[in-house]
């Protein structure tokens, strides 16, 4: 197997199509070369439940995955676009006689701080998507279904009253949140305060998105719109009935939160919808 030596890679984890959710899986079971691993080595494969990621519905290959059983941690890697996984460590094993055991997996696997500030393109944005999985190993082949730990925020600039169409198209929308985190054994460790400006990946003239650390942003700046030299900042407040009803100041783990923006010389109006398990 190819040895993976870097501590942080391009963490593109592949799409799992909604039509494949349920008893069917879009990712076949791993069939990586078991030579030299022993006949009891577990063949792992990886997918993400209800994911929405780039990569032509597949993993890129080379993503590092931490795997922990009890107090023993090993480094695995996604070997190719199918989600098959391999390791240069002694692999985890299983036999019917040994019984089942609990496993915790997470990706990316890195001891370094992960910067969230620049998410201006797909590679930079999806490097900020942190995932983990807890499962039971009770067979020779095990599929790991990862869940998202971050909040995926998306915007639509619906209206730009008092501005031209070109000014609307050239508007720059960003979010505020934590600039850096560490991701240790599937747990997000926040660094500093959630006041850093986070650039977004622009999808088209009026849509964009980014990943933010889950948590409450009440009375803290959350969204910034710069249009034709004017700057508007949205701060969710408990005292605003619509904010409270829609919980616009709460970033939920594993949710896709859609913010709809209307801007005019009078200010910035924001509404939000969310959906779990994206």
């Amino acid at each position: 197997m190819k040895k993976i030596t870097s501590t942080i890679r391009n963490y593109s984890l592949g799409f799992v199509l909604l039509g494949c959710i349920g008893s069917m899986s879009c990712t076949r079971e791993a069939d990586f070369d078991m030579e030299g691993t022993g006949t009891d080595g577990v063949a792992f494969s990886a997918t993400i439940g209800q994911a929405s990621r780039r990569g032509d519905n597949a993993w890129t290959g080379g993503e590092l995955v931490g795997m922990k059983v009890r107090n023993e941690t090993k480094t695995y890697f996604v070997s190719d676009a199918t989600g098959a996984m391999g390791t240069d460590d002694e692999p985890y094993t299983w036999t019917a006689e040994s019984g089942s055991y609990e496993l915790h997996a997470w990706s990316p696997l890195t001891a370094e701080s992960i910067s969230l500030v620049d998410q201006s393109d797909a590679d930079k944005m999806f490097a900020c998507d942190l995932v983990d999985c807890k499962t039971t190993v009770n067979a020779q082949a095990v599929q790991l279904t990862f869940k998202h730990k971050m909040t995926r925020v998306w915007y639509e600039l619906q209206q730009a009253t008092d501005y031209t169409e070109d000014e609307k198209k050239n508007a720059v929308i960003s979010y505020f949140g934590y600039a850096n985190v560490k991701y240790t054994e599937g747990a997000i460790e926040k660094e500093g305060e959630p006041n850093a400006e986070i650039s977004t990946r622009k999808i088209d003239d009026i849509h964009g998105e980014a990943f933010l650390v889950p948590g409450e942003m009440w009375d803290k700046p959350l969204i910034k719109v710069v249009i034709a030299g004017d700057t508007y900042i949205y701060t969710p407040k408990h005292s605003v009935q619509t904010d409270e009803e829609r919980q616009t100041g709460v970033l939920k783990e594993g949710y896709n939160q859609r913010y709809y923006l209307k801007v005019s010389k009078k200010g910035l109006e924001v509404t939000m919808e969310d959906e779990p398990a994206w």
Side-chain angles (χ1 to χ4, degrees), residues 161-226:
T161 307
D162 306 322
Y163 296 96
T164 67
E165 194 63 27
D166 282 342
E167 288 172 335
K168 178 182 177 182
K169 290 179 180 179
N170 291 313
V172 176
I173 290 88
S174 54
Y175 286 86
F176 291 94
Y178 289 93
N180 300 282
V181 297
K182 286 190 175 180
Y183 194 48
T184 305
E185 295 187 1
I188 297 173
E189 299 177 11
K190 305 170 184 176
E191 298 182 352
E193 296 296 325
N195 54 12
E197 187 171 348
I198 309 296
S199 64
T200 59
R201 179 179 81 93
K202 197 163 185 177
I203 299 170
D204 55 34
D205 288 337
I206 63 170
H207 299 98
E209 60 180 346
F211 288 109
L212 298 180
V213 177
E216 295 194 0
M217 294 293 289
W218 296 113
D219 299 314
K220 299 180 179 69
L222 178 60
I223 301 173
K224 178 180 177 181
V225 177
V226 178

Side-chain angles (χ1 to χ4, degrees), residues 86-148:
T87 182
D88 291 320
D89 294 336
E90 188 69 23
Y92 290 116
T93 61
W94 178 87
T95 63
E97 292 76 17
S98 65
S100 63
Y101 55 88
E102 300 304 308
L103 179 143
H104 183 200
W106 64 93
S107 184
L109 173 62
T110 175
E112 300 175 1
S113 291
I114 300 171
S115 176
L116 308 176
V117 173
D118 183 2
Q119 300 187 39
S120 56
D121 61 37
D123 285 338
K124 293 173 181 177
M125 175 185 160
F126 287 108
C128 301
D129 189 6
L130 315 179
V131 297
D132 82 336
C133 168
K134 293 180 180 179
T135 192
T136 300
V137 177
N138 56 10
Q140 197 68 48
V142 175
Q143 185 175 86
L144 305 178
T145 300
F146 288 86
K147 295 182 180 180
H148 301 274

